[in-house]
């Protein structure tokens, strides 16, 4: 199932200009670098989709992994996707069947996330995304808060 999931995600991310790197995909647009990775859960039989966002003007290294990104969250923190994140549980794949499961993950979970991420074109767009599209349960580095003028 994991290989089929990676292949389906690669197709969707590639469609929106993301490049494959390691276990994830990345995209730079203006000063915004977005990294998305697929992580196998060590606790349950399933996966997590992690998102990292960096401002290129703040870092010398153009490539920051999701783990090193100053803005980090899991897909379930994206507005409206908490319940749908259960699709990443392998039990959902077994109960729905592989084809229906992959379709659900890609169309109901990844598609809305990717559309929102590619809409972030600059600092103002990132600020709107953080205010309107994710819960408060994300990691947001204090330096990014200062640059975007977001309260702590």
């Amino acid at each position: 199932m994991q290989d089929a999931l990676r292949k389906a995600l690669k197709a969707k991310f590639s469609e929106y200009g993301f490049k494959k790197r390691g276990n994830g995909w990345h995209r730079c647009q203006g000063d915004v670098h977005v990294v998305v990775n697929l992580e196998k859960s060590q606790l349950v039989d399933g996966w997590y989709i992690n998102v990292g966002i960096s401002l290129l003007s703040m870092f010398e290294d153009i490539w920051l992994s999701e783990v090193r990104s100053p803005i980090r969250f899991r897909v379930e923190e994206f507005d409206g996707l908490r319940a749908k994140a259960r699709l990443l549980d392998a039990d959902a794949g077994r109960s729905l069947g592989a084809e229906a499961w992959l379709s659900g993950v890609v169309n109901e979970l990844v598609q809305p996330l990717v559309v929102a991420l590619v809409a972030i074109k600059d600092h103002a767009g990132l600020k709107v995304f953080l205010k309107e599209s994710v819960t408060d349960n994300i990691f947001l580095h204090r330096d990014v808060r200062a640059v975007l003028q977001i309260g702590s």
Side-chain angles (χ1 to χ4, degrees), residues 62-81:
I62 192 166
W63 169 260
L64 286 179
S65 64
E66 175 271 327
V67 172
R68 292 180 52 217
S69 295
I71 303 168
R72 297 190 297 271
F73 60 94
R74 286 202 165 138
V75 72
E76 57 265 21
E77 300 307 328
F78 183 76
D79 190 36
L81 294 185

Side-chain angles (χ1 to χ4, degrees), residues 34-94:
V34 177
V35 180
V36 181
N37 83 350
L38 182 64
E39 174 189 2
K40 178 78 171 114
S41 173
Q42 295 179 3
L43 303 174
V44 298
D45 190 13
W47 297 270
Y48 300 109
I49 294 178
N50 303 307
V51 178
I53 302 173
S54 329
L55 300 175
L56 297 176
S57 59
M58 294 180 68
F59 299 93
E60 291 179 19
D61 186 359
I62 192 166
W63 169 260
L64 286 179
S65 64
E66 175 271 327
V67 172
R68 292 180 52 217
S69 295
I71 303 168
R72 297 190 297 271
F73 60 94
R74 286 202 165 138
V75 72
E76 57 265 21
E77 300 307 328
F78 183 76
D79 190 36
L81 294 185
R82 182 171 293 280
K84 292 180 182 180
R86 291 190 198 117
L87 282 168
L88 291 167
D89 187 335
D91 288 337
R94 287 187 281 276

Side-chain angles (χ1 to χ4, degrees), residues 102-113:
L102 281 173
S103 176
V105 168
V106 170
N107 296 320
E108 296 178 37
L109 196 61
V110 175
Q111 175 74 23
L113 175 67

